[in-house]
Amino acid sequence: MVPTPDGHTLAVRRGDPRRRTLTLTTLDVSALRNRFAGQVIAPGDTDYDSARGLFYGGTDTRPAVIVRPTDPTEVAGVIALARETGLELAVRCGGHNPVGLSSVDDGIVLDLRHLRAIAIDVDERTVWAQTGLTAGDVTKAVAEHGLAVGFGDTGTVGIGGITTGGGVGFLSRRHGLTIDNVLAAEVVTADGQILQVDAGSHPDLFWAVRGGGGNFGVVTRFKYRLHELPGVVGGMLMLPATPDVVHGFITEAAAAPDELSVIVNVMPAPPMPFVPADLHGTMVVFGLVCYSGPADEAEKVLAPIRALAEPIADMVRPIAYHEMFMGDADGDYHPTATARTLFADRLDHALITQVLERLETAPAPMRVTQFRPLGGAISRVADDATAYSHRGRPFMVNVASFLDGPGTRAEREQWVRDTSALIANGEPGAYVNFLAEDGTERAREAYPGGTWERLTQIKRQYDPGNLFRRNVNIPPAG
């Protein structure tokens, strides 16, 4: 990308460099600012570097232009711009994709952050929310009425990205995935149509955007079902990481009532103020606990987990649900890691022991294996009801190793692959929202069997030219 001396006209490479078909496209940024009422940001602008920044480190993409539309009509206009110029299009909500798919070199970033309207119907227990909002934004807004919808476990993720990928989080065992609470959506398609979709209108597209990622259009707002939730008993519970403790934590949580969801992170103890200095760097269970049932029942449900070992720290208490989103205020945190997501049908004591041995001897100072018991309401939905088709899998596991620079990537990736291979059992599978650099090769694991075939047919109908390809891509059938 080469800015001209006046800083307003950009000469941009486009095409497929692998086929040596690069051509030159000129973008008149001044004309774009007249074309769109929303913000247009280009190289040379004072806010360009902050606007192109993403949550995760390790990527340094330089878009030709970033456009922040003000309404769905302008979203359609940005899509039309991509068609006219042939420049690659990336769609950004919260910017949390681990490999930077929400930005693009020499292309167009459609940044939804200015689409922030929210309309709560307390009597109907629904909310229409535009996809420039984050999970934290929506959670706090509906909490004022004692209501909730489950997203994930991080408040800064955009609701568009987490919802289109499925939405596994703290309320999933009780109320299902985020997509199980979607009643309708507004979608701007590759040809610029603005469609209202639900079970009775464009039902195939409605099915596909619930789990199929951003392959089928730009969702500009969702209508969610809300649930009464005055508060939860939740927070962080840190225990020493022994095979008995880790296996017991996972087993007890999986057998608990649906109201309990946990995330069991096994990792070196961070140097937090409440962690004794002699434990820094030792392996601990950094557990995130959320009990969404009556507060007076939480103690009984959590007792078997607390009894596994003397806690290093126990911060589980009655809190507002949005307080489960920990550590969202630090905008300077940009971790760089290599990771792999998978499902497992079995996590027995012997396997946990082997995983702990690998964690103890791993090459990276910071590494983690995360266990998420699933089941509950997730498993009571048919595999073919949405594009998320892993309903019966009892456990999700994520393995990550943080990098100390590009020179450490190869050894850290190998450790992640080997550890994941040790854990994997049952049919291959992947949660699309957690796929990283392996997204292309594992897309069929995210969408197995008939799910993949149906998605490719819907892709052919709504995006035959594969305009929306900066994602875990599902190509059009044929």
Side-chain angles (χ1 to χ4, degrees):
M1 177 167 45
V2 183
T4 61
D6 65 5
H8 292 290
T9 303
L10 303 177
V12 186
R13 300 184 303 273
R14 68 180 176 88
D16 187 345
R18 294 166 298 180
R19 298 181 183 178
R20 299 184 181 181
T21 59
L22 290 178
T23 58
L24 202 63
T25 292
T26 299
L27 283 179
D28 185 335
V29 177
S30 296
L32 292 182
R33 288 178 173 139
N34 291 327
R35 178 173 175 175
F36 296 105
Q39 191 175 12
V40 175
I41 305 169
D45 291 343
T46 56
D47 52 353
Y48 175 73
D49 283 336
S50 62
R52 69 187 179 90
L54 301 172
F55 175 78
Y56 285 99
T59 59
D60 187 29
T61 49
R62 301 188 64 84
V65 67
I66 302 166
V67 186
R68 294 171 172 169
T70 59
D71 57 32
T73 300
E74 285 208 331
V75 170
V78 179
I79 293 171
L81 177 66
R83 292 199 311 269
E84 294 161 12
T85 61
L87 296 178
E88 191 166 11
L89 178 68
V91 181
R92 173 173 175 167
C93 297
H96 277 253
N97 181 267
V99 287
L101 293 178
S102 57
S103 188
V104 60
D105 278 322
D106 300 328
I108 300 167
V109 173
L110 196 173
D111 187 337
L112 297 168
R113 71 179 59 196
H114 288 174
L115 299 185
R116 297 183 54 81
I118 185 167
I120 304 167
D121 189 322
V122 177
D123 294 331
E124 189 184 56
R125 291 192 181 176
T126 60
V127 59
W128 274 106
Q130 286 191 313
T131 49
L133 294 161
T134 66
D137 293 331
V138 177
T139 299
K140 290 176 183 177
V142 300
E144 294 179 7
H145 306 281
L147 301 170
V149 57
F151 290 105
D153 53 74
T154 305
T156 53
V157 299
I159 65 169
I162 192 168
T163 303
T164 54
V168 176
F170 290 124
L171 299 182
S172 295
R173 280 168 48 88
R174 184 176 184 187
H175 294 306
L177 305 176
T178 307
I179 54 175
D180 299 330
N181 297 282
V182 170
L183 301 173
E186 180 177 76
V187 185
V188 186
T189 57
D191 60 2
Q193 294 186 76
I194 303 172
L195 302 179
Q196 308 299 318
V197 306
D198 56 31
S201 178
H202 305 282
D204 277 352
L205 181 58
F206 182 56
W207 178 86
V209 299
R210 289 177 295 152
N215 279 280
F216 308 94
V218 179
V219 181
T220 50
R221 61 175 183 155
F222 279 110
K223 183 180 183 180
Y224 299 100
R225 179 189 301 109
L226 299 174
H227 303 275
E228 185 175 351
L229 187 65
V232 300
V233 175
M236 190 273 293
L237 177 64
M238 185 179 290
L239 303 172
T242 67
D244 286 346
V245 169
V246 177
H247 180 256
F249 203 137
I250 297 167
T251 303
E252 294 290 350
D258 294 351
E259 288 82 0
L260 181 66
S261 286
V262 304
I263 300 175
V264 180
N265 297 293
V266 186
M267 57 188 283
M272 293 179 165
F274 53 82
V275 179
D278 62 327
L279 294 181
H280 291 177
T282 64
M283 298 307 300
V284 298
V285 174
F286 192 105
L288 297 175
V289 173
C290 181
Y291 182 75
S292 58
D296 57 1
E297 296 179 3
E299 185 63 34
K300 179 181 178 181
V301 173
L302 294 173
I305 295 173
R306 284 190 166 118
L308 292 169
E310 182 69 25
I312 299 168
D314 187 345
M315 299 182 179
V316 179
R317 67 202 188 283
I319 56 174
Y321 174 57
H322 67 81
E323 293 180 69
M324 288 299 305
F325 297 149
M326 302 173 62
D328 288 341
D330 186 1
D332 294 328
Y333 179 59
H334 300 287
T336 304
T338 180
R340 192 171 179 90
T341 185
L342 60 146
F343 293 101
D345 293 342
R346 172 186 55 82
L347 294 173
D348 58 30
H349 193 281
L351 179 55
I352 296 299
T353 301
Q354 291 177 285
V355 173
L356 277 172
E357 289 171 354
R358 289 194 60 80
L359 284 164
E360 290 281 6
T361 59
M366 181 53 67
R367 62 278 187 192
V368 59
T369 299
Q370 179 188 90
F371 303 97
R372 297 184 181 224
L374 302 176
I378 301 171
S379 62
R380 292 193 286 273
V381 176
D383 268 354
D384 61 357
T386 65
Y388 177 98
S389 56
H390 307 284
R391 298 292 183 164
R393 304 308 295 271
F395 303 106
M396 180 189 295
V397 184
N398 300 300
V399 181
S401 179
F402 289 72
L403 308 185
D404 303 320
T408 63
R409 177 173 288 277
E411 71 168 5
R412 308 291 162 84
E413 286 181 344
Q414 188 63 53
W415 181 86
V416 166
R417 284 194 297 268
D418 292 345
T419 304
S420 301
L422 170 68
I423 298 169
N425 56 79
E427 291 294 319
Y431 175 42
V432 70
N433 277 348
F434 288 164
L435 284 173
E437 55 268 14
D438 57 351
T440 300
E441 66 187 75
R442 300 185 67 203
R444 294 293 293 267
E445 291 183 37
Y447 305 113
T451 297
W452 177 264
E453 302 306 325
R454 184 176 178 185
L455 287 170
T456 62
Q457 294 292 340
I458 298 170
K459 178 76 168 181
R460 183 171 65 178
Q461 179 179 354
Y462 289 97
D463 184 18
N466 206 9
L467 180 71
F468 302 114
R469 58 186 180 273
R470 288 287 295 175
N471 45 44
V472 177
N473 193 235
I474 300 166

